[in-house]
Amino acid sequence: MQHTDVLVIGAGPTGLTLGIDLARRGVDAVIVEKGAALSPGSRGKGLQPRTLEVLQDLGVLDEILAAGGPYPTTLLWKNGVRLGEHQMFDPAKAGEEGSRFTVPWMIPQWRTQEILYARLRALGGQVRFAHEALTHTQDDDGVTVTLTGGTTIRARYVVAADGGRSTLRRALGIGMTGDGAPEADPFLVGDVRVPGLSRDHWHMFQAEAGFLGLCPLTGTDQFQLFVQLPSGEPSLATVNAALRDRAGLGIQATDLTWHSVFRPRTALADRFRAGRVLLAGDAAHVHPPSGGQGLNTSVQDAYNLGWKLGAALKDPASTILGTYEEERRAIATGMVALASAVQREEVRRGRSTRQLDLNYRESSLSRETRPAPSGLRAGDRVPDTLHGIDLHARIQGPHWSELTLPEGVFLVRPDGYVGWAGDSREGLAEYAAEVGA
Ligand SMILES: Cc1cc2nc3c(=O)[nH]c(=O)nc-3n(C[C@H](O)[C@H](O)[C@H](O)COP(=O)(O)OP(=O)(O)OC[C@H]3O[C@@H](n4cnc5c(N)ncnc54)[C@H](O)[C@@H]3O)c2cc1C
């Protein structure tokens, strides 16, 4: 039997991000993935500004920026006639959100995964492909997981990053609460090539037969197709029938390289932890894609969890790991509600979907000691720059950081949120000792 400190199940965006964070802090970890390779498909193609900040800290920002681009303007069509242009995202006001990133960055999910995987490999990490986690047992000291082929791995902690249909979550008996809408029409999402269609716009076609969208995928010659499912099995022929009926421009797709059929739904796991097993990403929360939050919330789960696993492994008496569920379940509750509101068109995509205002002010880890704090507070995300100082450069890396600014003294967590804030350093050392900073 092999032993490791952390076993991560699933090499989607969540598992890969966690793998990078664990590798850079020197934690012994194994990632297993049931697929023979990284999953294909453009799926979660929008990286929100907060996720870009996280990816910058993890050392992959240049590759992400080079491989993606901003979203094009949306162009609405009806019966072959242009109805007009539409802005999908409300713009950020200059400087208001304290980030150098102001718009979501479009990059197909398969490409994001490739970039994360390359970073993981560069840090010495690996993914064991074609290894499916089948069963597990846990006791006070660890978790034993059986994989395909009968291999067993014993880990001090296991992270279920195995997606929305998580077998681990089911095996643990953790329920999902949500508003699954089985009566809603299913959607087909897929990657297609459509010669002759302009790549300057995200095309949205309205027709009697239903809606059809084609978004040019930056860095590729493909479009992401999104269509209320036409009758029949998904195939190039059904896609072209839908294009004929709904787009009315005489355009045809030449291939369908990946597709998935799904019903938009919202669901949240009742718990994010059972003993030594933690749920992260889609295993813990499922969002309707129209909100563009699923992958983003997942990456940020991993970023919250990595340093806490590191703390728990370093000091078994540490209680920090307990704050993962406290903090991330609260965030996920808000994000699935937001994504549903966006889907119902009650909320515009803008400041709230950029995820820069998310904070942990209510967390038991946040300690605000100033009687009248103003500006940056305990639990807040540290802004990119303040008073002309590049704060993100000062806090970059897997460690805690201390900042002294005109507003006060701040001890910043490894994930870039203020843990402790005071008028002076008085009390800082006690907090640092408590959290193992
Ligand atoms: C059609 C569609 C459109 C979407 N659009 C958006 C969007 O616009 N914006 C956005 O932010 N998000 C979007 N999402 C959501 C986004 O794709 C997910 O939130 C994201 O993939 C979650 O990452 P994950 O790593 O948690 O799970 P996944 O990406 O599902 O990865 C889980 C991995 O675990 C592996 N696995 C499963 N079971 C086992 C096992 N037992 N043993 C070993 N490995 C296992 C799987 O093979 C898979 O590789 C969309 C999703 C879909 C399906």
Side-chain angles (χ1 to χ4, degrees):
M1 187 193 302
Q2 190 195 339
H3 290 256
T4 186
D5 282 338
V6 181
L7 172 61
V8 180
I9 297 178
T14 307
L16 293 168
T17 302
L18 183 60
I20 292 170
D21 197 30
L22 294 174
R24 71 177 184 154
R25 58 186 69 250
V27 170
D28 175 36
V30 172
I31 304 176
V32 292
E33 162 59 49
K34 74 174 176 185
L38 295 175
S39 64
S42 59
R43 295 195 283 168
K45 63 185 182 306
L47 298 180
Q48 298 294 345
R50 178 56 188 153
T51 309
L52 293 173
E53 290 184 343
V54 169
L55 296 177
Q56 180 174 31
D57 186 45
L58 296 177
V60 293
L61 183 68
D62 290 349
E63 291 83 351
I64 292 282
L65 293 183
Y71 277 79
T73 306
T74 303
L75 180 58
L76 298 176
W77 296 84
K78 190 157 191 177
N79 301 326
V81 176
R82 290 169 176 238
L83 292 185
E85 294 190 347
H86 166 79
Q87 291 300 336
M88 180 70 81
F89 307 102
D90 285 343
K93 295 201 180 95
E96 196 176 66
E97 292 162 40
S99 178
R100 71 190 64 175
F101 308 110
T102 54
V103 289
W105 199 248
M106 198 224 293
I107 172 168
Q109 182 169 327
W110 61 263
R111 189 77 187 98
T112 300
Q113 292 177 178
E114 279 186 357
I115 291 169
L116 291 172
Y117 182 49
R119 177 72 176 140
L120 176 72
R121 294 294 302 268
L123 289 166
Q126 282 186 34
V127 173
R128 286 196 205 162
F129 291 103
H131 280 74
E132 180 174 2
L134 297 175
T135 60
H136 80 280
T137 55
Q138 64 169 312
D139 52 48
D140 289 349
D141 302 321
V143 189
T144 304
V145 175
T146 308
L147 308 171
T148 32
T151 325
T152 51
I153 299 186
R154 172 90 175 152
R156 290 172 72 187
Y157 293 98
V158 165
V159 178
D162 52 347
R165 296 197 182 96
S166 172
T167 39
L168 255 91
R169 187 189 64 232
R170 287 164 205 237
L172 289 163
I174 299 179
M176 288 287 261
T177 304
D179 65 351
E183 73 287 355
D185 281 343
F187 280 85
L188 169 68
V189 62
D191 295 344
V192 293
R193 289 187 181 80
V194 187
L197 183 64
S198 149
R199 299 185 67 81
D200 297 339
H201 289 99
W202 182 346
H203 304 273
M204 298 209 175
F205 302 95
Q206 296 167 0
E208 297 287 308
F211 165 84
L212 187 149
L214 283 169
C215 181
L217 290 164
T218 315
T220 77
D221 60 354
Q222 294 185 309
F223 288 83
Q224 187 184 63
L225 167 81
F226 195 79
V227 57
Q228 269 161 326
L229 192 62
S231 54
E233 277 298 298
S235 65
L236 185 60
T238 51
V239 165
N240 278 330
L243 277 170
R244 209 171 36 245
D245 295 347
R246 303 177 193 200
L249 297 177
I251 50 171
Q252 291 282 276
T254 56
D255 53 23
L256 175 66
T257 56
W258 165 83
H259 70 268
S260 168
V261 176
F262 72 101
R263 286 188 164 82
R265 72 180 183 116
T266 301
L268 182 71
D270 299 338
R271 285 179 293 148
F272 281 19
R273 181 177 184 180
R276 289 177 169 271
V277 183
L278 299 115
L279 307 186
D282 273 17
H285 41 74
V286 178
H287 310 239
S290 45
Q293 305 299 309
L295 181 149
N296 291 278
T297 307
S298 300
V299 164
Q300 290 172 57
D301 284 349
Y303 193 55
N304 183 286
L305 184 53
W307 68 272
K308 294 178 179 175
L309 281 168
L313 289 164
K314 205 160 92 186
D315 174 10
S318 168
T319 54
I320 284 194
L321 193 55
T323 66
Y324 167 71
E325 175 178 62
E326 176 194 340
E327 293 187 345
R328 292 310 296 174
R329 196 165 181 282
I331 293 284
T333 303
M335 296 323 292
V336 292
L338 174 67
S340 300
V342 170
Q343 193 191 17
R344 293 192 299 268
E345 298 186 354
E346 293 167 9
V347 173
R348 293 258 319 148
R349 295 170 186 82
R351 186 162 180 160
S352 56
T353 55
R354 287 191 276 274
Q355 300 204 355
L356 291 163
D357 291 336
L358 296 179
N359 66 71
Y360 300 122
R361 283 185 185 180
E362 304 303 321
S363 166
S364 59
L365 259 183
S366 301
R367 211 67 53 83
E368 178 56 69
T369 67
R370 294 166 299 171
S374 66
L376 191 62
R377 292 177 49 166
D380 286 356
R381 162 188 152 269
V382 170
D384 188 353
T385 49
L386 196 62
H387 314 306
I389 308 167
D390 184 347
L391 296 182
H392 281 196
R394 299 233 334 238
I395 65 172
Q396 178 153 24
H399 46 71
W400 290 76
S401 313
E402 188 179 323
L403 294 175
T404 301
L405 304 165
E407 292 85 352
V409 180
F410 303 91
L411 192 59
V412 182
R413 304 165 17 157
D415 57 357
Y417 293 84
V418 175
W420 182 95
D423 283 321
S424 68
R425 296 187 83 248
E426 193 184 336
L428 186 149
E430 287 78 0
Y431 176 84
E434 201 185 304
V435 298

